[in-house]
Amino acid sequence: MHPDPERSLALAYAPDDGRRAALSALLALDAALADVVRTTTQPAIGQIRLAWWREQLAKLDQAPPPAMPVLTGLAEQVLPRGVTGAVLAKVVEGWEVLIEEETLDRDALHRFGAERGGQLFALAAAILGGDAGRAATLGQGWALADLTRHLDDPSVASAAGGLARAALATPLRGVARSLGLMALSARLDLAQVALGGPKRAARLAWFGLAGR
């Protein structure tokens, strides 16, 4: 997997006092769960794999993690900041929607956005600071915008995009700079502003400097 330069930029704006490492650990968890869904061809197997993650995350509250970088990173960087393994396990529920639901209607899409992105951004806000409620809403939009790029059904993609735009219309001010950058990247994706292009780079750079 190639590194995402915009995600790397978002991480660069997190304080380098341990909170950057904590955000990186949360994003590594999200990437690992995304990999489970992306590589699952049989729903029953996917459910088993996600259940394993949910159990391992919950166990972090009682026992040291197995020798697995994602779990080790969470145990070392996130749990000491007051986030429990039980709460981390809830992020799995968003990904389960994509495997368990035969049809992604608006309710299923909303649950995915809230339980994947909303949870993830709220946890990050608890570590980074800023408005956690606003971050959670932006996180929903971020997750749905990302999903939109991977949907084959145009009607489902359109519905996901509409929900994403509504959530991402939330003002970015008051949110931790790193999360604001991720939300802004999602806005630019929906607007089909070219990755790596000068317009996109300038917009992200301005937000990074000014926070708006």
Side-chain angles (χ1 to χ4, degrees):
M1 181 183 296
H2 296 293
D4 181 342
E6 293 185 1
R7 189 164 294 192
S8 298
L9 179 64
L11 282 169
Y13 278 97
D16 191 18
D17 57 3
R19 286 181 285 176
R20 183 182 300 171
L23 177 59
S24 180
L26 287 174
L27 295 179
L29 170 63
D30 183 72
L33 297 175
D35 188 60
V36 170
V37 173
R38 185 174 57 252
T39 58
T40 290
T41 55
Q42 299 180 39
I45 300 300
Q47 289 172 337
I48 291 170
R49 294 172 69 192
L50 287 176
W52 180 89
W53 274 101
R54 191 170 55 248
E55 291 166 7
Q56 294 301 317
L57 291 166
K59 284 180 182 177
L60 293 177
D61 292 330
Q62 289 86 34
M68 186 173 185
V70 172
L71 293 170
T72 300
L74 293 167
E76 293 178 351
Q77 305 296 339
V78 176
L79 265 64
R81 297 183 177 275
V83 175
T84 66
V87 172
L88 287 170
K90 292 182 179 295
V91 177
V92 180
E93 295 174 8
W95 291 103
E96 288 175 328
V97 171
L98 300 185
I99 288 180
E100 294 175 355
E101 298 293 338
E102 292 185 7
T103 302
L104 290 177
D105 58 17
R106 288 180 66 86
D107 178 66
L109 290 169
H110 178 77
R111 285 190 290 118
F112 167 78
E115 293 169 0
R116 177 203 174 188
Q119 289 268 12
L120 193 76
F121 271 47
L123 290 173
I127 294 168
L128 298 172
D131 188 321
R134 187 171 290 181
T137 302
L138 290 168
Q140 294 178 39
W142 168 82
L144 286 163
D146 178 58
L147 177 65
T148 300
R149 297 186 296 118
H150 302 285
L151 292 170
D152 295 326
D153 187 323
S155 64
V156 178
S158 177
L163 290 171
R165 287 183 182 88
L168 289 168
T170 301
L172 302 179
R173 61 182 177 274
V175 175
R177 193 70 53 93
S178 294
L179 301 182
L181 273 165
M182 291 173 63
L184 178 56
S185 290
R187 285 183 183 176
L188 296 172
D189 285 340
L190 291 172
Q192 298 184 336
V193 179
L195 279 167
K199 181 178 178 181
R200 185 168 180 131
R203 181 67 186 92
L204 291 168
W206 174 248
F207 180 81
L209 290 171
R212 57 188 173 85

